[in-house]
Amino acid sequence: MTAHDIIKRPIMSEKSLVEIENKKYVFEVDLHATKNQIRDAVHQLFDGTKVESVHTVKSKGKFKRQGKSSGYTSVTKKAYVQLKPESNKIPFFDSLN
């Protein structure tokens, strides 16, 4: 898997935008990606970043209904990436604050 396959998209929520000041970023990642693969992908995609820790959370799909149709939403995996204090910030997120 390449770095672009591992990290799908950044997650923009109120909680994640507050944590950007502490150099903590949230990404949606591939379901089968390990913490080491996520760490390497962040290092490859964003130059000058040094990852301190990675925490992952897998969420089950929620049950949804619309009329007669019913089913479950997709299973997702989020990665909380904490950068080291001496590391550069990710420039993409600087424009959001």
Side-chain angles (χ1 to χ4, degrees):
M1 276 193 285
T2 65
H4 291 286
D5 293 336
I6 293 172
I7 296 179
K8 293 184 179 179
R9 66 182 182 94
I11 294 180
M12 303 295 169
S13 65
E14 290 181 27
K15 184 179 176 182
S16 66
L17 290 176
V18 170
E19 291 295 325
I20 289 174
E21 296 172 6
N22 302 328
K23 293 187 179 180
K24 193 171 201 176
Y25 302 95
V26 185
F27 298 101
E28 183 179 335
V29 295
D30 185 64
L31 288 174
H32 305 292
T34 63
K35 290 181 180 184
N36 288 333
Q37 289 175 334
I38 295 167
R39 175 176 297 152
D40 293 340
V42 169
H43 185 66
Q44 285 179 3
L45 292 176
F46 309 107
D47 293 333
T49 57
K50 297 177 184 173
V51 178
E52 184 175 322
S53 65
V54 176
H55 299 286
T56 57
V57 177
K58 222 179 209 182
S59 63
K60 296 190 311 184
K62 294 181 180 179
F63 182 74
K64 297 285 184 178
R65 276 190 46 183
Q66 185 163 6
K68 292 181 184 179
S69 303
S70 62
Y72 288 89
T73 59
S74 301
V75 177
T76 59
K77 187 174 185 178
K78 291 193 285 188
Y80 294 87
V81 178
Q82 175 69 50
L83 299 182
K84 291 184 178 179
E86 68 271 6
S87 175
N88 294 339
K89 290 185 175 183
I90 297 176
F92 171 76
F93 292 96
D94 288 340
S95 63
L96 300 175
N97 285 341

